[in-house]
Amino acid sequence: MTIDSDQFRRDGHRIEKWSVGWMLLSLAMWAWFGYRWLTNDDQGFGRQGDDSHALVGILALAVIPTIIAAATTVYAQVMFRMARQKESAVR
């Protein structure tokens, strides 16, 4: 069973939309981390060490959607390349 180039292109567009969603989530989490890091003035947060644990947690959570966004972007590009390759093989 073979997949035609249109199916590769449709799948690539679908994955690309997911990639944009993960990228937006990733950017929002990095912005949250940056905001917390830049406003670390030690007022109302208790000791300095308590806030640094929260920053490390936010950073760890921000890395996950960043990796997923990169992986889905690469996968979408592979799907588009496979569609082009399939078209050139048919011609």
Side-chain angles (χ1 to χ4, degrees), residues 53-91:
H53 291 294
L55 286 173
V56 170
I58 294 170
L59 181 62
L61 288 176
V63 168
I64 295 168
T66 303
I67 293 170
I68 294 172
T72 54
T73 301
V74 169
Y75 185 62
Q77 294 302 315
V78 167
M79 296 300 275
F80 290 136
R81 184 168 291 189
M82 288 173 71
R84 283 193 307 267
Q85 184 179 16
K86 200 70 140 158
E87 284 177 352
S88 65
V90 170
R91 291 181 186 172

